Amino acid sequence: MNTSVGNTARLLGAGLRALLVLTLVCGVIYPLAVMGIGQGLFNHQANGSEITSNGKVVGSELIGQRYDLPLKKGEETPAPDLKWFQPRPSNGLGTNTVNTQYRLILSGATNRAGDNEELIQWVKDAKAAVIKDNSVDGYKVKPSDVPPDAVTSSGSGLDPAISPEYADIQVHRVAELNNLDVAQVQKLVNDHTDGRILGFIGEPQVNVLELNIALKALEKG
């Protein structure tokens, strides 16, 4: 009996030592090492890929934002502030009611099939709005000019970028509402268009937040 108790005690002691060692290695040393490497080599990404303007953090390269007018009495959803470049739609996803600092849109897909009547109506309404909002004197948006990302939300609803085609059809409207030259605004879009990674991965895109920050700087200039 005494031998059995002794063996049990030794096994418990070995198990406890293993638990402590593994906790120290996996729960303390490894996380600190990974954090240290991340902060040392990938500081920007490790801290949320933050974007700053005038020395203040205004958002992240990875998270989409809305650019809306203040919500009016009786409105369920605010109208877009058309002086700014607009992101992809976020139908049915709502807004963040917890952290309102950046007016983030909630993450999640609309979960509607391609033949869903509500989704089809959303797309039709969005297309009509894109044509109406971006058609100004001397520039008419045709239905064939409207790219898919202008009328559909992304899978997460937080896509921070739009296609160059969607940015291009917004140029004339943004220029007019900000009393800027069209060529100036078009140059902003061109300068903020990122090509495919390594020349073949993904699609060209324009980060809307970065573009609007540049627009604000141009407006002040």
Side-chain angles (χ1 to χ4, degrees):
M1 180 67 69
N2 290 337
T3 301
S4 178
V5 170
N7 290 336
T8 301
R10 283 193 294 273
L11 289 173
L12 288 175
L16 180 60
R17 288 193 295 274
L19 175 63
L20 293 174
V21 170
L22 290 172
T23 299
L24 179 63
V25 172
C26 300
V28 180
I29 296 176
Y30 178 72
L32 288 176
V34 171
M35 184 176 69
I37 293 172
Q39 290 292 334
L41 299 179
F42 308 100
N43 182 265
H44 177 64
Q45 293 87 343
N47 288 293
S49 300
E50 295 174 337
I51 296 178
T52 60
S53 178
N54 297 323
K56 296 182 179 180
V57 176
V58 294
S60 168
E61 295 175 358
L62 309 175
I63 302 175
Q65 299 187 30
R66 295 188 59 85
Y67 300 86
D68 294 329
L69 294 169
L71 188 66
K72 295 181 181 179
K73 186 177 181 180
E75 286 185 336
E76 293 185 3
T77 57
D81 189 345
L82 296 177
K83 69 177 291 186
W84 303 107
F85 283 94
Q86 293 296 309
R88 296 183 65 171
S90 55
N91 298 59
L93 300 180
T95 55
N96 189 329
T97 58
V98 179
N99 180 0
T100 59
Q101 182 177 0
Y102 306 133
R103 295 185 181 181
L104 304 180
I105 51 181
L106 295 182
S107 177
T110 53
N111 292 324
R112 287 165 174 79
D115 60 352
N116 179 271
E117 292 184 2
E118 187 175 25
L119 177 61
I120 292 172
Q121 191 59 50
W122 280 352
V123 171
K124 289 181 178 179
D125 292 344
K127 191 168 187 176
V130 168
I131 293 172
K132 177 179 179 292
D133 291 342
N134 293 286
S135 293
V136 298
D137 290 341
Y139 179 76
K140 173 70 174 178
V141 177
K142 297 179 293 185
S144 59
D145 294 333
V146 181
D149 63 303
V151 297
T152 57
S153 62
S154 64
S156 68
L158 299 178
D159 194 340
I162 57 176
S163 67
E165 292 78 15
Y166 186 26
D168 286 343
I169 65 175
Q170 299 186 58
V171 166
H172 287 77
R173 180 252 298 164
V174 170
E176 181 177 276
L177 294 180
N178 289 282
N179 297 313
L180 295 169
D181 186 74
V182 170
Q184 287 180 295
V185 180
Q186 185 63 61
K187 186 176 185 302
L188 284 184
V189 172
N190 297 341
D191 291 344
H192 289 81
T193 298
D194 298 320
R196 293 180 173 86
I197 300 172
L198 300 178
F200 67 93
I201 300 175
E203 295 293 333
Q205 60 181 12
V206 182
N207 187 289
V208 181
L209 174 56
E210 292 179 343
L211 180 59
N212 279 332
I213 290 174
L215 173 63
K216 186 174 183 179
L218 181 62
E219 188 181 31
K220 287 184 177 180

